[in-house]
Amino acid sequence: MNIVLMAMNAKYIHSNLAVYSLQSYAGKQGSETKLKEFTINQQEDEILRDLVKERPDVLAVSVYIWNVDQICNLLTDFHKVLPKTEIWLGGPEVSYRAAEFLEEYPFVKGILRGEGEKTFAELCRCWKKDPEKTRTEKGDRADDDYSCIRGISYRDQQGVIRENPDQLPLSMDELVFPYEDLDRLAHRILYYETSRGCPFRCSYCLSSVEKTLRFRSWELVQRELQFFLDHKVPQVKFIDRTFNCKKEHTMQIWEYLRDHDNGITNFHFEIGADLLDEEEIRLLSGLRPGFFQLEIGVQTTCPETLKEIRRMADFSVLSGNVKAVMAAGNVHQHLDLIAGLPFEGYERFKTSFNDVYALRPEQLQLGFLKVLRGSYMYEMAEEYGIVWKKKQPYEVLATRWLSYQEILDLKLVEEMVEVYYNSGQFSNTVREMEELFPDAFSLYESLGKFYEAKGYLQMSHTRFRRYEILREYLQERGVEEKEELRFRNAMICDLYLRENCKSRPVWAEDLSRWKDRNRAFFQKEAEEHRFLPDYDRYDWKQIRSMTHLELLRDPASSDGHEKYTVLLFDYKTRNPLDASARIMDVTDAFFYIGGYDEQA
C-alpha cells in the first residue's frame, strides 16, 4: 500500500510540521508512508508530474488558507490522471467545512477534521488491510472500514456524505518527535510545539475553538531542545499559540535554552507581552543578542474593540514590557496589528498604529482581518456588517466602521511600512522624514498616496530606485536645500549600513577629492588597528575593500567653510537583530592624521 503525504508550503525555507507529525506517529504505529513537500511558487505541471510518478494508492494532502486554490486545481488534474487513487484532505482550511468541501469536490474521498495524528494512523491501518476482503465489487472500500474512525467526514459507497464524531484530544506526550532525520530539512525553518490549545478566546482566531490546553512533559521537551541545539539548527519556531501562558513551562524552556546556548540557533516564540513579569524580562535581558525572537499580537489598542474581540490585554502593561525587553537591545520583537476589527474605524486604527509604532519594534506587521469559518468572528459577521472576499484568504473588504476605500488606503500604508520600515533599509531616513508629519501614520499614508499617484505600486523597484523615489517625493514637497542634504546624508548612511555597495548612486556626493586622505587613513589603520582590531591579518588595500568610509557634509556648514563627519562601516561586526554594520565616527582620525586639519 503506497500512502503519500503531501504538503505545499508558502516558501521553500518553510517546513510543514503537520505532515511530519502525521508520518512519525503513523510510523510508530507500524504504517510506512512517503512524504512530498512542494511550494506554492512551483509550476503545477512540475508538482503533478512528481506526484503521478509516485502512483500512490492514497494521497493525503495538508490544506491551508495560503494553498487551498492551488491544491484544488492540482488535485482536479491529478484525479483525471489517477482516478483510482483515494484522495484525503486535512488541515484548518477544510476542517470547518468538511461536508461542504466534499460536495464541491466529488473526487475527494474524505477529510480529516482537527488534530490528525491518531485519525491518520487509524486510516493507515484501514488502508493496509487485505483489499480482497475490504473492497466492494466496484473497488470501493467497505463503509465499515471508516464508520468507526473518529474525526473524519467521508463519502460512502452510495455517495452519501457521512460525518463521524470528533476525534478525542491526544496527549501531547503521545506525539512522536518528527525531526530525527534532518538531512531532508537542511536550510529550513523547523516548527515545534510544546502545547496545543489556547487559554484565550479571541474571536477572530481558530485557536479559540480548541477547548483544552495541553502541554508536553518537560522530560521530552528538554531532550528535543537539546537535539536542536546539538544539530545547530539555524531557526526553530515554536507554534504554541500563546507560549508564555503558563509561567513554569515558559521558564523551564527559556532557562534551559539560556544555559545551553550553542551560539547559532535562533528560537522564535509567539507570546502575550502583557503576561511577562520581572523575572521573565530579566532572563530575556541576559540572553545572547539574536538568540530569541518574540512575536507579539497587539491587534488594536482600542479598549472597546479589545473587549468585543475577547482580548483582555492591557496596552499600558504590554507597552511597558515591550520597552523593558527592548532596553537590553538583544531580543528581536515583531508586533502585529489587525485592521477591520469591530468598533475600530479609520481614525481609531490610526491611533492604534501610532501607539504601536511609538514602541519602535524591529517589525510592525499591519494585517487585515480574515473571516475564518469556525471562528466567532464568522458567526458575528452580519451583525458587524463585515463583507469579505469569497476566496482565500477571506480578507475583509468593509465593515460597519471601515469602508472599502479606507481599506484600500490602509493597504497603501501597509505597503509603505513593509518597504520603508520592516525592511530595515531606511531607518535613518524614515526617522528624519517623521519630522515632516504630525505622526508616523501620516508619513506612510502620504508616501503611499504618492506611490499610487505616480503608478509606482505596480512596478518592481531596486533598492537604489527606492531612494530615488524618496528624493522625488521630498522634492515635490518643496524640501529646502539644507533639509535635502540632511535627508541625503541619512539615505547614504542607510545604504551603506546594510551593504558595502560597489557602485555609488548618482545623487551621492563625489568623494574623489578625498582619495589621498582615504588612502592615508587605511594605511595608518593597517599599522595601528585602532578601529578595526579584527582586521589584523589584512593589508590596507584589503581593509579598504572590506569596509566603507563615508564623508557626510554638515547641512549647517556656512558658505565657504564646509564641515564633514566621517563614518567607518565595519561589515564583519553586525547587529544581530537587524544585520546592520557596526558604524564608527572617525572624523578626527581622518582629518588630523599628520597633525593638520584638511577640512575646507
Side-chain angles (χ1 to χ4, degrees):
M1 172 62 64
N2 186 13
I3 304 168
V4 174
L5 278 160
M6 174 193 151
M8 187 181 287
N9 303 324
K11 297 179 181 178
Y12 172 76
I13 197 171
H14 296 169
S15 58
N16 187 303
L17 175 58
V19 292
Y20 283 99
S21 187
L22 264 60
Q23 183 185 48
S24 299
Y25 187 86
K28 188 176 181 180
Q29 306 296 318
S31 296
E32 183 178 344
T33 61
K34 294 181 181 177
L35 194 152
K36 305 290 293 186
E37 278 189 284
F38 306 97
T39 77
I40 58 175
N41 300 311
Q42 288 180 258
Q43 292 293 320
E44 185 179 309
D45 284 346
E46 176 187 344
I47 301 173
L48 179 61
R49 181 172 61 249
D50 200 344
L51 286 177
V52 170
K53 281 183 179 178
E54 294 292 336
R55 304 196 71 80
D57 297 297
V58 176
L59 178 63
V61 185
S62 182
V63 187
Y64 294 87
I65 197 170
W66 65 79
N67 65 18
V68 59
D69 285 348
Q70 290 97 320
I71 283 176
C72 289
N73 292 334
L74 174 73
L75 293 181
T76 299
D77 291 338
F78 176 87
H79 177 69
K80 294 174 183 176
V81 179
L82 294 178
K84 292 185 178 181
T85 297
E86 259 189 36
I87 297 174
W88 285 75
L89 307 178
E93 185 55 24
V94 294
S95 285
Y96 297 98
R97 55 176 183 135
E100 177 186 334
F101 208 91
L102 289 171
E103 289 280 6
E104 188 174 354
Y105 296 97
F107 56 81
V108 175
K109 176 64 178 180
I111 289 175
L112 286 72
R113 306 189 313 270
E115 292 184 14
E117 286 88 358
K118 186 175 181 181
T119 304
F120 181 70
E122 291 176 356
L123 283 169
C124 285
R125 286 196 294 269
C126 171
W127 293 327
K128 288 173 63 179
K129 288 180 182 178
D130 185 349
E132 296 300 321
K133 297 180 180 179
T134 58
R135 299 270 181 172
T136 66
E137 292 181 359
K138 294 181 180 180
D140 297 327
R141 190 171 296 280
D143 288 345
D144 287 347
D145 291 345
Y146 295 130
S147 61
C148 59
I149 297 178
R150 301 179 71 107
I152 65 171
S153 300
Y154 65 99
R155 200 185 315 276
D156 69 14
Q157 296 163 27
Q158 286 73 42
V160 177
I161 294 172
R162 307 287 184 183
E163 296 202 272
N164 293 353
D166 292 340
Q167 184 61 267
L168 299 175
L170 195 65
S171 164
M172 290 295 291
D173 285 357
E174 291 184 55
L175 297 176
V176 181
F177 186 64
Y179 295 129
E180 298 297 345
D181 177 15
L182 288 178
D183 289 342
R184 59 183 177 178
L185 289 163
H187 312 298
R188 310 272 287 280
I189 297 171
L190 300 189
Y191 296 87
Y192 179 61
E193 60 182 345
T194 64
S195 66
R196 283 184 179 175
C198 182
F200 306 107
R201 296 291 176 260
C202 303
S203 63
Y204 51 83
C205 180
L206 288 179
S207 293
S208 64
V209 178
E210 173 61 77
K211 304 302 182 186
T212 60
L213 179 58
R214 294 157 285 151
F215 294 88
R216 195 159 171 83
S217 66
W218 170 237
E219 291 74 16
L220 291 174
V221 171
Q222 178 179 327
R223 184 190 314 154
E224 290 155 5
L225 293 177
Q226 193 58 51
F227 177 88
F228 294 134
L229 294 166
D230 289 344
H231 289 82
K232 296 180 172 57
V233 174
Q235 185 175 52
V236 177
K237 282 195 173 186
F238 281 67
I239 63 170
D240 304 50
R241 299 311 303 165
T242 303
F243 174 78
N244 63 326
C245 64
K246 182 180 178 183
K247 182 179 177 180
E248 179 186 3
H249 181 76
T250 302
M251 290 296 289
Q252 277 183 319
I253 291 173
W254 282 358
E255 287 176 345
Y256 187 86
L257 292 176
R258 177 199 62 193
D259 297 341
H260 297 81
D261 180 12
N262 62 13
I264 295 173
T265 305
N266 162 270
F267 290 89
H268 177 107
F269 306 91
E270 294 183 29
I271 70 162
D274 56 305
L275 303 178
L276 293 173
D277 63 17
E278 291 184 6
E279 183 181 14
E280 290 167 320
I281 292 172
R282 188 163 54 249
L283 185 151
L284 291 170
S285 299
L287 298 174
R288 163 176 60 88
F291 191 18
F292 281 12
Q293 289 180 196
L294 302 181
E295 183 171 347
I296 299 162
V298 182
Q299 320 313 10
T300 177
T301 66
C302 176
E304 189 176 13
T305 301
L306 286 168
K307 181 179 179 181
E308 186 66 19
I309 64 175
R310 306 171 174 178
R311 282 183 72 86
M312 299 298 107
D314 184 328
F315 182 69
S316 63
V317 174
L318 183 151
S319 60
N321 288 342
V322 167
K323 290 176 183 177
V325 172
M326 190 173 294
N330 63 330
V331 175
H332 179 285
Q333 296 186 92
H334 174 137
L335 272 57
D336 297 335
L337 284 169
I338 297 179
L341 294 173
F343 298 105
E344 188 163 63
Y346 191 83
E347 288 302 315
R348 187 55 188 80
F349 183 81
K350 178 178 178 179
T351 300
S352 289
F353 179 95
N354 288 326
D355 288 341
V356 175
Y357 190 90
L359 298 176
R360 299 283 178 181
E362 280 72 30
Q363 295 272 307
L364 195 170
Q365 181 177 326
L366 197 173
F368 292 82
L369 176 66
K370 295 171 179 60
V371 184
L372 305 177
R373 295 170 188 268
S375 69
Y376 180 71
M377 190 67 68
Y378 181 85
E379 297 175 14
M380 296 292 292
E382 185 175 353
E383 181 174 333
Y384 295 151
I386 299 176
V387 291
W388 66 94
K389 292 181 179 178
K390 179 182 178 181
K391 289 201 153 191
Q392 56 85 13
Y394 317 115
E395 200 168 82
V396 64
L397 294 171
T399 73
R400 277 172 46 194
W401 304 272
L402 202 60
S403 70
Y404 176 60
Q405 182 56 54
E406 288 170 330
I407 290 282
L408 294 180
D409 290 342
L410 289 176
K411 288 283 186 180
L412 297 178
V413 174
E414 176 198 26
E415 177 70 15
M416 294 301 99
V417 169
E418 284 298 314
V419 171
Y420 288 108
Y421 185 86
N422 288 340
S423 70
Q425 298 175 351
F426 305 88
S427 54
N428 291 290
T429 308
V430 163
R431 283 183 180 269
E432 294 288 350
M433 292 180 67
E434 287 170 14
E435 300 300 318
L436 301 175
F437 296 89
D439 54 68
F441 183 92
S442 298
L443 161 61
Y444 296 101
E445 179 185 49
S446 175
L447 196 53
K449 290 186 181 297
F450 176 80
Y451 261 72
E452 183 179 46
K454 294 292 184 178
Y456 293 155
L457 292 170
Q458 292 75 36
M459 301 178 185
S460 178
H461 303 288
T462 65
R463 188 177 171 202
F464 276 26
R465 178 60 183 146
R466 296 288 188 187
Y467 288 109
E468 292 169 359
I469 292 173
L470 285 184
R471 297 187 73 245
E472 182 185 349
Y473 171 77
L474 291 167
Q475 288 167 2
E476 288 206 4
R477 285 186 61 90
V479 172
E480 296 179 1
E481 183 178 350
K482 285 187 177 181
E483 280 189 312
E484 194 279 333
L485 178 56
R486 179 164 58 90
F487 287 120
R488 188 173 65 187
N489 284 345
M491 291 181 193
I492 285 292
C493 189
D494 283 334
L495 182 66
Y496 286 102
L497 265 174
R498 286 298 187 91
E499 180 184 358
N500 189 5
C501 305
K502 299 308 178 186
S503 59
R504 193 164 173 81
V506 295
W507 44 268
E509 185 168 338
D510 183 4
L511 300 181
S512 59
R513 61 181 283 207
W514 304 106
K515 62 181 181 181
D516 291 340
R517 284 285 87 199
N518 184 295
R519 181 177 62 252
F521 173 85
F522 282 108
Q523 286 174 338
K524 194 165 187 64
E525 182 60 24
E527 296 172 3
E528 299 180 354
H529 299 290
R530 174 182 171 188
F531 300 102
L532 302 167
D534 293 339
Y535 291 71
D536 58 334
R537 295 185 293 113
Y538 305 101
D539 62 35
W540 72 270
K541 290 182 180 180
Q542 291 173 315
I543 295 174
R544 183 170 66 176
S545 69
M546 296 167 67
T547 61
H548 177 72
L549 201 63
E550 183 65 44
L551 281 80
L552 302 178
R553 183 154 49 96
D554 186 351
S557 298
S558 59
D559 293 341
H561 189 74
E562 296 176 339
K563 283 289 185 181
Y564 287 87
T565 297
V566 186
L567 300 178
L568 178 62
F569 295 80
D570 172 14
Y571 299 102
K572 284 184 69 175
T573 307
R574 292 180 178 268
N575 185 320
L577 301 190
D578 63 11
S580 60
R582 181 168 70 106
I583 187 170
M584 292 160 280
D585 187 332
V586 297
T587 306
D588 289 346
F590 185 87
F591 283 112
Y592 293 95
I593 295 173
Y596 57 93
D597 183 355
E598 285 194 8
Q599 292 226 36

